[in-house]
Amino acid sequence: MTRIDTLESGITKLTAKLGIAKKEYFTFTEELREGYTSIAKTYFGGGIPLEDVTIEAGRDGSTIYFKRPQQGYSYLKEIFEIRFKEDWKTGEFTEMNTSVYSTSDNSDWNLERLILVGDMCQVVLDYRDDVLGEYNMYRSKAAPKKKDLQRAVRDIEMNIESFQKQVEDFKRDDALKLLEGDGLKFNDTKLALEVKYNRTVQGVTSAKIL
């Protein structure tokens, strides 16, 4: 087995490990989404007068989505969002900001949406500090494991990149030795070789450094 074969075998094994590591990270972030969603439902779920409203948080906890079915649509329509502002120094959420779209639609669905937005905004006014506190506590507890999983993915990716670079270096060295020795032969007769800045030779089948 050549050096290149050994490295390419290592890349194959590392790629398989990377797939497992990414799956573990994705599974964990889905668990985080469930946790953030559970906290959101604790505060906002009780004040919703409509039974068909869905509350769901993002995997990183930075957004809470409120959605509801609407006739004529195959997907849940957005009612509004709550977005958390993060302090990049501490990694904590410091603000809750609502995101509401405007429309001239006066359908029952949209009028009910506006009523619901008002109810949820009242919850924000009443429990903003409590929600921020619970979200930050949950995030803080999850941070070490999330960081470890991220590092595992990053380390494998870096190893793969290192192996790939070594393969490229070895191939380049081998090609250079052939060019300086017996020469290189190419199977692709359409190969083009740039010999000068403004000159390209077409249909190259072999090359050698004299």
Side-chain angles (χ1 to χ4, degrees):
M1 181 177 285
T2 66
R3 297 171 299 179
I4 292 177
D5 290 336
T6 300
L7 288 168
E8 289 181 338
S9 176
I11 291 172
T12 299
K13 293 177 181 178
L14 284 171
T15 300
K17 289 181 64 177
L18 180 60
I20 295 173
K22 284 185 174 181
K23 185 176 181 180
E24 289 178 349
Y25 177 73
F26 178 80
T27 299
F28 182 69
T29 56
E30 283 298 309
E31 293 173 357
L32 288 181
R33 183 206 298 274
E34 293 176 3
Y36 286 122
T37 298
S38 178
I39 296 172
K41 287 181 176 179
T42 298
Y43 288 93
F44 296 96
I48 296 178
L50 305 170
E51 296 180 355
D52 57 356
V53 174
T54 297
I55 301 175
E56 184 179 61
R59 285 200 295 267
D60 62 353
S62 63
T63 309
I64 302 175
Y65 304 94
F66 296 79
K67 301 179 181 180
R68 185 187 178 205
Q70 185 177 15
Q71 187 175 359
Y73 292 85
S74 59
Y75 57 90
L76 295 177
K77 286 290 296 297
E78 178 185 317
I79 299 173
F80 83 118
E81 298 176 359
I82 293 177
R83 300 173 182 174
F84 292 81
K85 182 178 180 181
E86 179 182 352
D87 184 328
W88 65 272
K89 291 183 179 179
T90 65
E92 292 189 343
F93 295 128
T94 56
E95 296 179 19
M96 292 174 63
N97 300 313
T98 58
S99 176
V100 186
Y101 64 88
S102 60
T103 175
S104 59
D105 175 23
N106 285 301
S107 65
D108 289 350
W109 187 93
N110 192 58
L111 293 175
E112 290 170 347
R113 178 184 74 88
L114 295 175
I115 293 173
L116 186 61
V117 167
D119 291 339
M120 296 303 96
C121 287
Q122 186 62 55
V123 174
V124 172
L125 286 173
D126 293 340
Y127 298 102
R128 178 189 288 113
D129 292 341
D130 297 315
V131 176
L132 286 170
E134 286 204 39
Y135 257 53
N136 282 324
M137 184 180 299
Y138 181 74
R139 196 180 207 206
S140 177
K141 289 181 179 179
K145 183 175 181 179
K146 184 177 181 180
K147 186 176 182 179
D148 288 344
L149 292 173
Q150 288 175 321
R151 184 185 297 113
V153 171
R154 186 170 60 253
D155 287 348
I156 296 173
E157 289 176 336
M158 290 177 63
N159 285 332
I160 290 175
E161 291 174 1
S162 175
F163 279 27
Q164 289 173 335
K165 184 179 184 304
Q166 291 180 64
V167 168
E168 293 173 0
D169 290 343
F170 282 136
K171 286 183 176 180
R172 184 172 55 252
D173 291 343
D174 290 344
L176 182 59
K177 289 177 182 177
L178 285 173
L179 283 171
E180 294 173 339
D182 296 334
L184 278 173
K185 294 185 180 296
F186 309 108
N187 294 326
D188 188 353
T189 57
K190 297 180 180 180
L191 182 69
L193 180 65
E194 185 177 352
V195 293
K196 289 185 177 180
Y197 173 73
N198 59 349
R199 183 182 177 189
T200 300
V201 178
Q202 302 290 338
V204 177
T205 58
S206 63
K208 183 178 181 179
I209 297 177
L210 300 176

